[in-house]
Amino acid sequence: MATQHARSAARLMLAPAVILLLGWMLVPLTMTLVFSFKQYLPLRGGDLGWVGFENYVRFVTSSAFWPSIWATLIIVGGVLVITIAFGIALALLLDQPMWGQGIVRILVIAPFFVMPTVSALVWKNMFMDPVNGLFAHLWQFFGAEPIQWLSQASLPSIVLIVSWQWLPFATLILLTAIQSLDSEQIEAAEMDGAPWRSRFIHIILPHLSRAITIVLLIQTIFLLGIFAEIFVTTQGSFGTRTLTYLIYQRVLESQNVGLGSAGGIYAVILANIIAIFLMRIVGKNLDA
Amino acid sequence: MARAVTTQRKALNTLAAWTVGLLIFFPILWTILTSFKTEAAAIADPPVFLFFDWTTENYSAVMQRSDYAQFLWNSIVIAGGSTVLGLIVAIPAAWSMAFVPSKRTKDILLWMLSTKMLPAVGVLYPIYLLFIRLGLLDTKIGLTLVLMLINLPIIVWMLYTYFREIPGEILEAARMDGASLRDEILYVLTPMAVPGIASTLLLNFILAWNEAFWTLNLTAAKAAPLTAFIASYSSPEGLFYAKLSAASTMAIAPILIMGWFSQKQLVRGLTFGAVK
């Protein structure tokens, strides 16, 4: 049993972290909340007083709102589907006996460590450029007309770039989960003559369900906030203006802080809804 | 019982896995290769893969840019500083929650995690404003503080999961032998916790090095790290593929190497211990 002394010392040691995070959370969030009820234009008159819920109404009724929700859904949904589907396939493959497994693992994980501005620019210039990009050469080789990737197929292009960055994360977590699967169970099923498909559906997939949920939730939270990938490629044009990017533009580019803050509060609420589900899973794990 | 695997099956697995692996790695490989080409060879039609005149002129060109060293230094200071500061705050916190848990420990841990879920863009303007008022805009100190705060929950969580694996009996025994709290931490806990602390340090250095929201929005010329330096190649300098590649290679090489060492910790750190 911890002594009284140890307990008060423990509380003291916990304090700095709690106070810092509390300040980091409460101060800016309160400010955003206050701004969101104001007409606040730093370059055009500054604080012009309270306007009630006007910013909240204007944010969702502006013509840019629904397209931004659409772009967000396509990017987040597309990346999730691609990374999880390919992640499962890749994890199953990497779990098989082979030569040079360690090296293949390293090759597959590498994109996760590339800084977002680098991966976005490399893809934009060296792969998707309609004249000098590798894709253009590839298309020409097959006699096809090169595609203006980031303008004609802007959303798929962003999905491709971001999927490339996050596939390693999904793969790594799913691989970790697969490796904890009891191989005897699979062998028993195999001996009983269960075909590969039913082994996958009835044993492997249920075993992976928790890991898949975690990948889903964590990636969603990070993907809702992607910024650099859009900032250095399309700057939000060609239908790639996500909710995050729209808020960024309202706040810093058009300096309409009130309107942007209302958008920010929407984003906070959205992220919290997803976070609640993630917390439940993580919390359950803490008890175990 | 290990399954007997035929050599043929193993060869097929190897072929498939290497093909996919190289395909995924290809953009990085292509960037590295391009960084050794002349600008003309970098945009040759058809593209040249390996047979070109290798040159290191792009590296010298990038490094001769008066400001490259500055960007690199900023990255090192900001990523390193935020990680070390984070550890200083997080080690005592994680220690106390792992060894002297209370009824609220779980709630505190989950609450800390929830601060990580706060969308950055939602608090962009307040932070921007506070930075202007406090004179922190475009300073290394300001950015170090922000990155420390956004990574603090991950640091606390990682350390907590490591600390929890240290058997409490050993600490009890040390206490019985009359070790003070300070001795306990310094001579008993720290040596056992060093591997966990090292992995935490590594992963958070990587995360801070690659962070690309705050580093792009809170810096201009003086404190901008490599993320912003690369973003400045967006246009029209990005048309110089070989130089862009050299700059990119230099920005990612140290992190790729560190990353390979921390693959295992990556899972633990980014799933908050939910997948091990």
Side-chain angles (χ1 to χ4, degrees):
Chain A
M1 231 7 253
T3 60
Q4 190 58 43
H5 176 66
R7 227 173 282 138
S8 50
R11 226 168 276 147
L12 211 65
M13 290 159 79
L14 188 56
V18 171
I19 292 166
L20 277 173
L21 282 176
L22 204 62
W24 168 246
M25 187 182 76
L26 285 183
V27 174
L29 207 55
T30 310
M31 288 168 77
T32 299
L33 200 61
V34 169
F35 293 151
S36 73
F37 290 107
K38 285 187 163 198
Q39 167 91 316
Y40 187 27
L41 306 161
L43 300 181
R44 286 159 285 163
D47 187 349
L48 301 173
W50 302 96
V51 290
F53 282 92
E54 198 188 296
N55 289 320
Y56 287 90
V57 176
R58 268 184 62 199
F59 191 86
V60 292
T61 51
S62 92
S63 61
F65 177 70
W66 286 108
S68 83
I69 294 290
W70 179 242
T72 309
L73 281 177
I74 297 274
I75 291 175
V76 174
V79 174
L80 284 177
V81 169
I82 290 174
T83 52
I84 290 176
F86 283 88
I88 293 174
L90 214 58
L92 286 171
L93 179 61
L94 288 177
D95 190 43
Q96 303 293 315
M98 69 179 75
W99 290 291
Q101 198 166 26
I103 302 172
V104 176
R105 241 177 100 118
I106 285 172
L107 293 178
V108 169
I109 291 164
F112 191 77
F113 300 111
V114 175
M115 58 173 66
T117 46
V118 166
S119 58
L121 267 189
V122 164
W123 279 100
K124 175 192 176 188
N125 289 327
M126 290 160 60
F127 286 85
M128 295 171 172
D129 187 274
V131 181
N132 291 317
L134 275 188
F135 286 163
H137 289 303
L138 197 66
W139 258 244
Q140 267 167 346
F141 180 78
F142 288 108
E145 184 73 15
I147 297 172
Q148 309 258 355
W149 286 93
L150 284 161
S151 47
Q152 289 171 349
S154 50
L155 280 175
S157 304
I158 302 271
V159 169
L160 174 64
I161 297 172
V162 180
S163 298
W164 181 74
Q165 292 177 295
W166 283 93
L167 181 59
F169 175 79
T171 306
L172 202 56
I173 287 174
L174 294 167
L175 181 61
T176 311
I178 285 179
Q179 281 169 344
S180 71
L181 182 65
D182 185 4
S183 66
E184 277 174 26
Q185 206 182 352
I186 296 262
E187 276 160 39
E190 217 169 333
M191 280 185 212
D192 290 345
W196 188 88
R197 210 177 74 98
S198 59
R199 289 203 305 268
F200 177 72
I201 292 174
H202 296 294
I203 301 175
I204 297 174
L205 217 49
H207 178 77
L208 286 183
S209 63
R210 218 174 82 98
I212 293 173
T213 317
I214 288 165
V215 170
L216 202 85
L217 294 169
I218 292 178
Q219 281 201 31
T220 306
I221 285 169
F222 281 101
L223 293 175
L224 281 174
I226 60 160
F227 176 78
E229 292 82 349
I230 295 168
F231 182 75
V232 296
T233 56
T234 61
Q235 298 254 316
S237 51
F238 307 114
T240 59
R241 185 157 52 191
T242 58
L243 185 60
T244 296
Y245 211 82
L246 177 66
I247 298 166
Y248 158 78
Q249 286 185 329
R250 291 279 186 266
V251 169
L252 278 197
E253 282 180 8
S254 48
Q255 293 266 330
N256 190 335
V257 175
L259 192 59
S261 297
I265 295 297
Y266 282 126
V268 170
I269 294 169
L270 184 65
N272 268 303
I273 293 172
I274 298 153
I276 287 170
F277 290 103
L278 180 60
M279 301 295 189
R280 273 212 194 130
I281 297 183
V282 174
K284 254 183 219 149
N285 200 59
L286 271 183
D287 297 328
Chain B
M1 189 193 91
R3 267 181 294 177
V5 179
T6 61
T7 311
Q8 195 194 0
R9 170 98 185 275
K10 198 168 169 181
L12 268 174
N13 288 339
T14 308
L15 186 70
W18 275 85
T19 309
V20 177
L22 286 173
L23 210 61
I24 291 174
F25 190 71
F26 184 73
I28 299 172
L29 180 66
W30 187 245
T31 307
I32 297 171
L33 286 174
T34 306
S35 73
F36 291 107
K37 294 175 185 173
T38 58
E39 290 295 351
I43 54 166
D45 182 15
V48 283
F49 193 66
L50 282 173
F51 303 104
F52 52 85
D53 293 325
W54 291 61
T55 170
T56 53
E57 64 179 28
N58 303 305
Y59 287 91
S60 19
V62 172
M63 276 189 279
Q64 268 160 16
R65 277 187 55 159
S66 55
D67 44 1
Y68 176 76
Q70 176 79 50
F71 288 108
L72 178 68
W73 177 239
N74 288 345
S75 268
I76 295 171
V77 170
I78 292 165
S82 65
T83 305
V84 171
L85 267 181
L87 283 173
I88 292 172
V89 177
I91 290 175
W95 181 90
S96 95
M97 288 193 285
F99 295 115
V100 197
S102 72
K103 265 178 270 165
R104 280 169 307 165
T105 297
K106 186 182 153 187
D107 295 331
I108 293 173
L109 275 168
L110 288 178
W111 166 74
M112 283 184 170
L113 186 55
S114 77
T115 65
K116 179 72 194 160
M117 314 290 166
L118 196 68
V121 76
V123 292
L124 173 59
Y125 197 77
I127 297 296
Y128 186 75
L129 200 65
L130 288 171
F131 265 50
I132 293 174
R133 294 270 164 81
L134 300 171
L136 287 173
L137 203 62
D138 200 18
T139 64
K140 287 196 275 290
I141 296 175
L143 208 53
T144 304
L145 282 175
V146 166
L147 292 194
M148 186 268 268
L149 287 165
I150 63 166
N151 283 334
L152 192 57
I154 294 188
I155 302 183
V156 171
W157 265 87
M158 275 185 83
L159 290 174
Y160 173 78
T161 60
Y162 282 113
F163 286 177
R164 257 202 352 171
E165 282 166 15
I166 296 172
E169 292 81 15
I170 293 181
L171 296 179
E172 300 276 326
R175 228 171 275 155
M176 295 284 200
D177 290 344
S180 69
L181 188 65
R182 206 181 63 97
D183 291 345
E184 194 181 307
I185 294 173
L186 226 54
Y187 300 113
V188 185
L189 185 71
T190 310
M192 278 195 291
V194 161
I197 294 174
S199 332
T200 310
L201 189 135
L202 208 59
L203 181 64
N204 280 279
F205 187 84
I206 294 170
L207 292 178
W209 184 277
N210 287 343
E211 203 283 333
F213 181 79
W214 296 110
T215 51
L216 290 175
N217 281 314
L218 295 178
T219 62
K222 279 191 306 184
L226 287 170
T227 44
F229 170 67
I230 299 291
S232 74
Y233 271 82
S234 183
S235 68
E237 280 179 280
L239 300 174
F240 296 100
Y241 286 9
K243 283 183 197 66
L244 166 68
S245 298
S248 299
T249 304
M250 283 194 281
I252 64 176
I255 292 307
L256 276 180
I257 294 163
M258 280 188 202
W260 290 335
F261 285 111
S262 71
Q263 334 172 2
K264 288 244 170 62
Q265 285 68 43
L266 184 75
V267 174
R268 187 197 283 249
L270 291 178
T271 63
F272 309 100
V275 174
K276 274 184 207 157

